[in-house]
Amino acid sequence: MALRALKFASLTAAASGIYLYGNKFLDPNDFGVVRVGRAIATTAVITYDYLTSLRSVPYGSEEYEFLKSQVHLRSAERLRELCCSNRGTFIKVGQHLGALDYLLPEEYTRTLKVLHSQAPQSTRQEIEQVIREDLGKEVLLLVVKQIFPDFEFMWLVEEAKKNLPLELDFLNEGRNAEKVAHMLKNFDFLRVPRIYWELSTRRVLLMEFMEGGQVNDRAYMERNGINVNEISRNLGKLYSEMIFVNGFVHCDPHPGNVLVKKCPASGKAHIILLDHGLYQVLSESFRMDYCRLWQALIKADMKRVQKYSQRLGAGDLYPLFACMLTARSWESVNRGIDQSPVSASEDMEIRSNAAAYLPQITQLLNSVPRQMLLLLKTNDLLRGIESALHTRASASSFLNMSRCCIRAVSTYQRSKSHSLYRRAQISLTEALSLWQINLYELFLWLKGSQLGNWVIALLRRMQHFTY
């Protein structure tokens, strides 16, 4: 038995030696066992830190909350280091986790968000090796599962497995870039890099070089005379058009993929959209249900919120689903999400509830259509940008969404109608609805402008003289 083991060890050593000699690009990360070893060690250190740091402190006390935050931060940094060391799909999953603001503690999402724009670069060979093994995703998620045992992350594994090959097919990325540029050609503020097809292959993509500041860099915009509110408003227009009208959605709008730059010639601010590897194509039925759900949310029509949430797979968890979509409390959803901006206390309430309802959130994410998962991620990334720019939950963003929902539903209804009279009726209703939104937008502009203040002051003075 010992002799057999010795022979096996000798053969293994010899084979390894030949491999090491012949591989000029050898890196420890080429071995799954190295990545697994790092992940196991990281899990052990994180688990030990939680067990020992919080063991002797009264649960719920101020000291407990302070120490828990410190452990969260240390653990998040270790997780980030694991992603950076193992690279490949560990980076991709780390980026996904960094977008789960409604699920993970702030210390984790804030730390892992660094991977959106400052991730270490991997060679093509390293990436393909990790894809072949399909090992990185599962191991990293097992690490996270140890930290948050109530949350089941396997849906994230399935999505990463499905989407990563598409992200690494550069011809697919080039086609997506051209498609979205044509689809949104009416937005003169959008810039998408031109693709040089004659110099591109499935493994190499040559495109026009574009530069600018990251879309969440408020200081950059202020230095360069770029209107922050205009950028936020235009970004909302782009994504409302993609989601509600076209059903073809760029699903990786982290700050490293969305740049802004002021054109010296025209003085206009441009939004530059990069990294077109990951798109979600929405089915017509899903898109219509999603449109009607958002219309119901904006109008605070709770019966329709329940109806369309359940049609999208939320079941009896529709209140939780509505809160996840809007990142608002249930009270705000009932009152109307366009009635007031998000307060600091409401934001804290949402985070606290996310921790308390983790099992239900898990159940919900496993029951909604797969199309919804990337939309939730996209929503979170966009909300993160709005939060950084201090433009979150502005009335104009909901008005733009309403316009797109109305146009999308009307177009769908016309396509299903064979009656000329009925199509004319649908078009008239659409025009009236859009006119009402324009009128309300004018009212909001007057209310916030100097002219509006003068008019209000004059009316109050006239009312005073009347009495």
Side-chain angles (χ1 to χ4, degrees):
M1 184 70 182
L3 182 62
R4 190 181 302 172
L6 181 61
K7 286 181 179 178
F8 179 76
S10 300
L11 282 170
T12 303
S16 300
I18 293 169
Y19 176 79
L20 295 175
Y21 179 78
N23 193 340
K24 297 178 183 178
F25 305 101
L26 180 66
D27 186 279
N29 289 305
D30 288 342
F31 298 100
V33 68
V34 174
R35 290 193 295 279
V36 173
R38 281 201 195 106
I40 291 172
T42 301
T43 306
V45 171
I46 290 174
T47 303
Y48 181 79
D49 196 1
Y50 274 100
L51 288 174
T52 57
S53 299
L54 302 174
R55 183 169 51 194
S56 58
V57 185
Y59 178 80
S61 64
E62 286 187 17
E63 184 183 4
Y64 181 90
E65 294 301 321
F66 173 77
L67 287 175
K68 185 175 73 171
S69 177
Q70 295 300 305
V71 178
H72 280 341
L73 183 58
R74 289 196 298 269
S75 301
E77 288 171 347
R78 288 170 182 139
L79 205 56
R80 184 189 62 201
E81 289 305 311
L82 173 65
C83 292
C84 292
S85 296
N86 280 5
R87 294 179 289 186
T89 46
F90 276 76
I91 295 291
K92 298 304 296 182
V93 175
Q95 289 174 336
H96 275 276
L97 295 173
L100 297 177
D101 294 273
Y102 56 91
L103 289 176
L104 301 181
E106 184 183 4
E107 293 86 353
Y108 279 89
T109 55
R110 187 176 65 242
T111 302
L112 293 173
K113 272 182 170 64
V114 171
L115 298 174
H116 289 152
S117 55
Q118 299 176 33
Q121 296 179 348
S122 299
T123 65
R124 179 79 190 195
Q125 185 185 22
E126 290 168 337
I127 295 170
E128 288 182 343
Q129 176 71 19
V130 178
I131 293 172
R132 280 196 298 271
E133 292 176 359
D134 262 342
L135 195 58
K137 299 175 285 292
E138 287 89 344
V139 174
L140 178 56
L141 292 170
L142 287 174
V143 174
V144 180
K145 176 101 176 137
Q146 290 297 315
I147 304 168
F148 303 104
D150 289 332
F151 189 69
E152 176 56 65
F153 283 93
M154 290 314 295
W155 59 268
L156 195 52
V157 174
E158 294 167 8
E159 286 305 297
K161 280 182 177 179
K162 183 183 74 175
N163 295 320
L164 196 62
L166 292 175
E167 291 188 72
L168 296 175
D169 181 351
F170 290 155
L171 292 180
N172 176 66
E173 179 172 348
R175 287 191 292 269
N176 286 343
E178 289 196 339
K179 180 175 179 177
V180 81
H182 177 74
M183 189 176 80
L184 302 176
K185 61 185 178 182
N186 292 331
F187 293 116
D188 60 356
F189 56 81
L190 175 65
R191 294 292 179 271
V192 176
R194 175 190 168 196
I195 307 299
Y196 295 93
W197 288 111
E198 66 277 11
L199 298 171
S200 297
T201 69
R202 188 172 178 273
R203 293 169 175 256
V204 178
L205 184 66
L206 188 66
M207 66 180 73
E208 178 185 3
F209 175 73
M210 290 185 171
E211 60 182 341
Q214 290 192 354
V215 72
N216 64 340
D217 191 344
R218 186 183 178 96
Y220 169 86
M221 295 188 207
E222 290 172 349
R223 284 197 308 272
N224 289 274
I226 297 173
N227 187 316
V228 172
N229 290 312
E230 181 185 356
I231 291 295
S232 182
R233 187 165 56 249
N234 286 343
L235 189 62
K237 286 180 181 178
L238 285 179
Y239 271 86
S240 291
E241 193 79 16
M242 282 191 270
I243 293 170
F244 300 114
V245 178
N246 295 287
F248 185 69
V249 190
H250 180 287
C251 284
D252 207 10
H254 66 68
N257 287 341
V258 186
L259 308 180
V260 294
K261 187 176 183 180
K262 192 168 186 176
C263 176
S266 65
K268 289 184 177 180
H270 293 157
I271 293 177
I272 302 168
L273 199 57
L274 306 175
D275 193 353
H276 298 271
L278 183 59
Y279 273 75
Q280 178 68 69
V281 179
L282 307 179
S283 68
E284 188 175 65
S285 60
F286 176 91
R287 184 167 57 89
M288 287 300 103
D289 286 340
Y290 195 61
C291 278
R292 290 178 171 123
L293 173 58
W294 269 104
Q295 286 181 309
L297 286 166
I298 292 168
K299 294 176 181 177
D301 184 341
M302 291 301 106
K303 286 187 178 180
R304 288 169 65 85
V305 167
Q306 179 179 0
K307 175 183 175 180
Y308 289 107
S309 294
Q310 290 179 337
R311 287 185 62 161
L312 290 168
D316 292 335
L317 295 173
Y318 71 91
L320 179 61
F321 184 53
C323 293
M324 286 171 61
L325 274 180
T326 59
R328 302 297 299 268
S329 66
W330 183 238
E331 182 184 348
S332 294
V333 171
N334 274 277
R335 190 171 58 242
I337 54 177
D338 62 339
Q339 296 301 306
S340 60
V342 184
S343 64
S345 60
E346 184 182 359
D347 196 50
M348 184 63 68
E349 178 190 344
I350 292 165
R351 288 185 178 278
S352 300
N353 286 340
Y357 288 99
L358 214 49
Q360 289 87 348
I361 292 172
T362 298
Q363 180 185 341
L364 186 58
L365 291 175
N366 278 302
S367 63
V368 297
R370 301 295 91 180
Q371 297 171 81
M372 181 60 70
L373 298 178
L374 281 178
L375 284 189
L376 286 169
K377 174 198 169 188
T378 303
N379 283 348
D380 284 334
L381 290 171
L382 292 172
R383 277 198 295 265
I385 291 169
E386 290 177 346
S387 181
L389 298 180
H390 309 301
T391 58
R392 188 172 164 193
S394 64
S396 62
S397 65
F398 294 122
L399 292 176
N400 288 324
M401 288 175 68
S402 295
R403 284 192 183 96
C404 287
C405 288
I406 290 167
R407 286 169 48 216
V409 171
S410 299
T411 301
Y412 171 77
Q413 289 175 335
R414 277 193 296 269
S415 72
K416 298 298 179 183
S417 175
H418 301 292
S419 164
L420 184 62
Y421 171 75
R422 176 60 183 151
R423 287 200 294 269
Q425 190 180 41
I426 293 167
S427 296
L428 179 60
T429 303
E430 176 188 10
L432 287 172
S433 298
L434 293 174
W435 179 78
Q436 286 177 327
I437 291 175
N438 291 338
L439 195 62
Y440 182 60
E441 190 170 42
L442 177 63
F443 166 74
L444 290 177
W445 178 81
L446 284 171
K447 187 179 175 182
S449 68
Q450 188 64 42
L451 176 61
N453 291 333
W454 287 342
V455 171
I456 291 170
L458 179 61
L459 289 173
R460 283 176 178 169
R461 189 170 296 179
M462 290 173 64
Q463 186 180 26
H464 175 72
F465 286 141
T466 303
Y467 288 105

